[in-house]
Amino acid sequence: MVILVPGGAGFIGSHTCVALLEAGHEVVVADNLCNSKAEVLDRVATITGKKVTFYQIDVTDAEAVNAVMAKHSFNGVIHFAGFKAVAESVEKPLLYYYNNLVSTMVLAQACLKHGVKRFVFSSSATVYGANKVPFVETMALLPPASPYGHTKAMSERILMDLVEANPDWSVMLLRYFNPVGAHPSGLIGEAPTGIPNNLMPYITRVAAGKLARLRIFGNDYPTVDGTGVRDYIHVVDLAEGHVAALNKPAKGVQIYNLGTGRGTSVLQLVHAFEEANGIKVPYEIVARRPGDIAECYADVSKAERELGWKAKRGLVDMCRDAWRFEKNYYVKD
Ligand code: NAD
Ligand code: UDP
């Protein structure tokens, strides 16, 4: 298949480009590089030995998107382009609603115009709100805790309504849990600018001596050790989940959780990182972070049953690969 990948230079997108190319698909990336670098796509080519066609465009720009669509004969779109920092979305809600919703509408509109009927969307576990774990696809959604979360829930709604009106479309809503790690080559990974918001890149920065210590947000949650529990998934497993989703011939809306089904606490992840890499990660316990929930992990049986996909990599792989990427690209800067 020929796949348009908006946001393909980013963390999850770049790993998915690798998985798509390795599975024999052709990949065209559209990215404005607002949170990534073009050289990532050179590294994707180095890993796979295959070329990626790249357009530096903003996918909220309908004219630019239509021009790309007119140049290729796409079989599908996997839409990663969006803003993802939860706290920033609270401070700048309009920025988030505009970028995340307009990109989805512009891309979907262009698909209608150019007869592309397969659309895969990067959704998030945040759409479950404070439901009871494990989160199952059939649950009624509760309000997400941030504008970012609302952009995901609204994008899902827009795409569902579009399928209602166009029953020959196939829309896959993939709800990611906590993607971490990096490609085992150490060439691509998660490279946030500034001080990381997420746990794993913060841990690797502390391990590299770039930040003094990890701040653990609360140890009084009703969890195994009081710290927050999440479902960490290796980004390469997540990328492979997209290939599995594309392989499923389906009409209508399909929703899948992409996680491991296992909950890991912050302290458990810190200790796993220390053991996997033989490095101490100094930490202190501080107050809870506003908007955090105690536990978030997936019921993954639907993806396994219907897509034949299951996360294969464990915490040790996630910690080793994240650290290898940090060492390759950031220790010396
Ligand atoms: P990322 O920031 O690394 O990648 C997003 C890419 O989209 C970047 O390369 C950025 O330059 C590009 N982009 C953003 N707005 C654009 C626009 N208007 N036009 C063109 N390009 C644009 O983020 P990621 O972690 O790879 O996340 C990818 C998707 O998955 C996002 O939609 C995110 O919300 C979703 N998601 C991420 C996580 C996570 O924890 N990383 C969890 C759940 C869902
Ligand atoms: N966390 C932490 N310190 C940090 C970053 C995160 O203790 O510097 C905790 C956070 O409270 C949550 C877990 O780590 O329990 C995962 O947070 P992250 O921001 O990586 O992902 P989220 O689940 O919020 O999307």
Side-chain angles (χ1 to χ4, degrees):
M1 285 192 247
V2 186
I3 307 295
L4 176 62
V5 188
F11 173 46
I12 306 170
S14 58
H15 290 83
T16 303
C17 286
V18 169
L20 290 169
L21 290 164
E22 283 176 344
H25 299 295
E26 208 177 297
V27 169
V28 175
V29 168
D31 199 305
N32 64 0
L33 305 179
C34 67
N35 198 34
S36 53
K37 296 199 171 96
E39 68 201 48
V40 166
L41 298 173
D42 299 333
R43 296 193 208 130
V44 167
T46 303
I47 293 168
T48 59
K50 291 179 181 168
K51 193 173 126 306
V52 177
T53 307
F54 173 51
Y55 295 96
Q56 186 173 346
I57 59 163
D58 190 313
V59 295
T60 63
D61 176 345
E63 208 177 303
V65 169
N66 277 305
V68 171
M69 287 260 187
K71 276 198 190 155
H72 299 267
S73 196
F74 291 116
N75 301 96
V77 173
I78 308 183
H79 174 25
F80 293 100
F83 294 148
K84 60 165 182 175
V86 173
E88 188 185 41
S89 80
V90 176
E91 285 160 27
K92 300 174 185 168
L94 265 186
L95 188 75
Y96 273 69
Y97 284 114
Y98 189 85
N99 197 43
N100 292 6
L101 295 181
V102 175
S103 60
T104 301
M105 288 189 282
V106 163
L107 286 164
Q109 183 87 54
C111 284
L112 277 180
K113 187 168 171 182
H114 295 271
V116 181
K117 295 179 178 166
R118 193 180 270 266
F119 200 100
V120 179
F121 178 65
S122 295
S123 191
S124 161
T126 183
V127 299
Y128 288 107
N131 260 299
K132 237 173 94 69
V133 283
F135 297 156
V136 191
E137 290 89 341
T138 47
M139 278 175 164
L141 302 184
L142 294 177
S146 68
Y148 165 73
H150 282 289
T151 69
K152 292 296 172 189
M154 288 180 189
S155 291
E156 286 198 357
R157 181 73 257 158
I158 290 168
L159 293 168
M160 284 184 210
D161 289 344
L162 198 59
V163 167
E164 198 65 38
N166 300 276
D168 57 339
W169 266 49
S170 160
V171 164
M172 297 255 181
L173 305 175
L174 303 182
R175 295 179 179 160
Y176 309 155
F177 282 69
N178 286 59
V180 295
H183 191 269
S185 63
L187 287 174
I188 56 172
E190 190 172 13
T193 47
I195 295 178
N197 296 303
N198 295 111
L199 181 59
M200 184 64 98
Y202 206 106
I203 290 176
T204 60
R205 299 295 276 178
V206 171
K210 297 285 173 191
L211 293 167
R213 68 183 66 79
L214 172 69
R215 291 171 311 138
I216 295 183
F217 299 134
N219 66 349
D220 56 353
Y221 285 106
T223 61
V224 57
D225 55 23
T227 64
V229 164
R230 297 290 182 273
D231 184 340
Y232 298 97
I233 174 169
H234 196 295
V235 65
V236 175
D237 277 323
L238 185 62
E240 289 170 2
H242 292 75
V243 177
L246 273 188
N247 286 343
K248 184 166 190 245
K251 291 226 187 308
V253 177
Q254 315 283 319
I255 305 177
Y256 294 103
N257 286 341
L258 297 185
T260 65
R262 284 185 304 275
T264 301
S265 75
V266 178
L267 278 173
Q268 286 170 337
L269 190 68
V270 168
H271 294 142
F273 185 93
E274 290 180 333
E275 268 169 44
N277 296 309
I279 300 174
K280 282 306 262 185
V281 178
Y283 66 82
E284 61 179 329
I285 308 289
V286 300
R288 289 182 180 194
R289 184 172 65 177
D292 272 353
I293 56 174
E295 290 192 288
C296 168
Y297 55 88
D299 179 314
V300 290
S301 50
K302 188 179 178 200
E304 190 175 350
R305 204 172 51 242
E306 295 189 9
L307 301 179
W309 170 89
K310 197 179 167 192
K312 297 192 289 257
R313 296 157 182 88
L315 279 184
V316 172
D317 303 301
M318 299 180 210
C319 294
R320 279 197 191 140
D321 293 339
W323 179 230
R324 185 182 301 111
F325 178 71
E326 175 80 40
K327 279 190 296 185
N328 272 0
Y329 286 96
Y330 294 99
V331 165
K332 294 179 217 76
D333 68 16

